[in-house]
Amino acid sequence: MKILVCISSVPDTTSKINFTADKSAFDKNGIQWVINPLDEFALSKAVKLQEQGASVTVINVGDATTEPVIRKALAIGANDAIRINIEPKDSYSVAKEIANIAQSGSYDLILCGKESIDYNGGAVPGMVAQLLNLPFVNACVGLEVNVGEAKAVREIEGGKETISVKLPAVIAGQKGMVDEKDLIIPNMRGIMSARTKSLQVNEPVNTEVRVEAVSYDAVPARAAVKMVTPDNLDELVRLLHEEAKVI
């Protein structure tokens, strides 16, 4: 079984987010980059499926600056990696590149996180499935794979549902796809072996961008807290009604 795991390079959650002076782009200076956490759940699941004889390839759409993140994915346990040499601009162009590799590689299973934590678009997995005309399961929190079939557990409003799909298929995972304690942390052996694993760089087949960011704005600063004494209920009601506008 051949598994393709889509990973994206995102800012560490502790990074301070800034934009360029003209607010036209994200300021990458001083940012620590990591594997998108939701993709990491998918990657850990794929590596565990190696026990069933699976081979795992990771794919990233990004320029050369993403290679340290790709090497970490190889250290976690992926067999090889592919990088599409283009800076990601929108969901469609990213999905198009992934779909092209998936189609030419005849993968049995395509795994990814349901969204990236930087833009939270959540569009790429569904687009990949549509471009390949494959079954798609989103928000997966449990996965079992047998010969020619996958059984996925996904979250729905008020509960969970179990879906069986024929392979090949696209499955987008989230926290719970594997237990957090089972997330694979690279050890020294993995880090050393990652240096010798294949990292193939492909040029993009598609440069069409359908969505373009016009400008970025930071979240407005929170207003100062107003303290109200316990015996001043009238003032509390007034503030909630006139300023907070919640009653």
Side-chain angles (χ1 to χ4, degrees), residues 16 22 27 35 44 78 81 113 124-125 131 133-134 144 151 155 157-158 169 193 195 207 209 218 240:
K16 182 175 177 58
D22 60 359
D27 186 356
I35 300 174
S44 292
V124 170
L131 289 167
N133 194 29
L134 293 180
E144 295 179 8
K151 184 180 292 184
E155 288 189 343
E157 187 174 354
S193 66
R195 298 179 180 180
T207 57
V209 176
L240 291 173

Side-chain angles (χ1 to χ4, degrees), residues 15-28:
S15 298
K16 182 175 177 58
I17 303 302
N18 293 304
F19 303 104
T20 55
D22 60 359
K23 296 185 178 181
S24 64
F26 170 59
D27 186 356
K28 298 180 180 180

Side-chain angles (χ1 to χ4, degrees), residues 4 16 43 91 108 119 122 124 147 151 175 197 239 242:
L4 182 67
K16 182 175 177 58
L43 177 58
S91 298
D108 302 293
Y119 290 94
V124 170
V147 179
K151 184 180 292 184
K175 182 179 178 179
K197 291 180 179 179
L239 290 171
E242 296 180 5

Side-chain angles (χ1 to χ4, degrees), residues 51-74:
E51 298 172 2
Q52 299 176 215
S55 65
V56 178
T57 299
V58 293
I59 181 171
N60 168 260
V61 178
D63 57 26
T65 62
T66 67
E67 291 197 3
V69 166
I70 299 173
R71 287 295 178 190
K72 181 181 178 182
L74 292 170

